[in-house]
Amino acid sequence: MSVLREFKEFAVKGNVVDLAIGIIIGAAFGKIVTSFVNDILMPPIGKLLGGFDFSNLFINLSDKSVTTLAEAKAAGIATINYGLFLNTLIDFTIVAAAVFILVRQINRLKKEPVAEAAAPTTKECPYCLNTIPLNSTRCGHCTSELK
């Protein structure tokens, strides 16, 4: 019975809930980035490079001739899909940059301002070496007159 209680306490702790929310938001963000790369970023790049589709770049590993990746998949032909890999690599780069910027901003907000050193309020008596207030004209310990 205590194991269930311990698990319940662990599961409802703020850090675990925050982690779960972060994973869900991260997965949704990954889908947005994938759509951005596949649907917005890569088509203009492909058009600039002569109208080619990066997602259709592949190496045919069989002796059958196919012109598109969809044909190869329909025929059950083994392929190396380096165009899809390039899209995934660009996805990763964008997500990594976004996470880096986010973490950098969070760390910047977490930094505590460095407190400036407070101006001294005491000094040492040159005669008896006891600590006395900074504006003293006479030492309270040895009664020496200070300059």
Side-chain angles (χ1 to χ4, degrees), residues 4-62:
L4 289 176
R5 190 175 328 121
E6 285 181 45
F7 179 74
K8 180 183 172 189
E9 289 174 12
F10 169 77
V12 296
K13 281 186 179 177
N15 292 341
V16 174
V17 174
D18 291 345
L19 179 63
I21 291 169
I23 289 170
I24 292 167
I25 290 174
F29 181 70
K31 288 179 183 180
I32 291 169
V33 170
T34 299
S35 176
F36 172 74
V37 169
N38 293 337
D39 303 329
I40 295 173
L41 185 65
M42 295 311 277
I45 291 173
K47 179 135 176 112
L48 288 173
L49 297 176
F52 88 38
D53 181 12
F54 279 85
S55 64
N56 208 27
L57 297 176
F58 66 98
I59 297 172
N60 185 347
L61 298 177
S62 76

Side-chain angles (χ1 to χ4, degrees), residues 90-138:
I90 292 169
D91 280 357
F92 172 77
T93 303
I94 292 171
V95 170
V99 169
F100 170 75
I101 290 168
L102 178 68
V103 169
R104 188 173 173 209
Q105 292 302 321
I106 289 171
N107 287 341
R108 194 176 285 166
L109 292 174
K110 280 185 179 179
K111 283 186 181 176
E112 294 180 19
V114 178
E116 292 183 25
T121 58
T122 60
K123 64 181 179 181
E124 210 173 68
C125 171
Y127 302 105
C128 69
L129 303 178
N130 281 312
T131 304
I132 57 174
L134 188 62
N135 296 331
S136 296
T137 56
R138 187 177 288 272

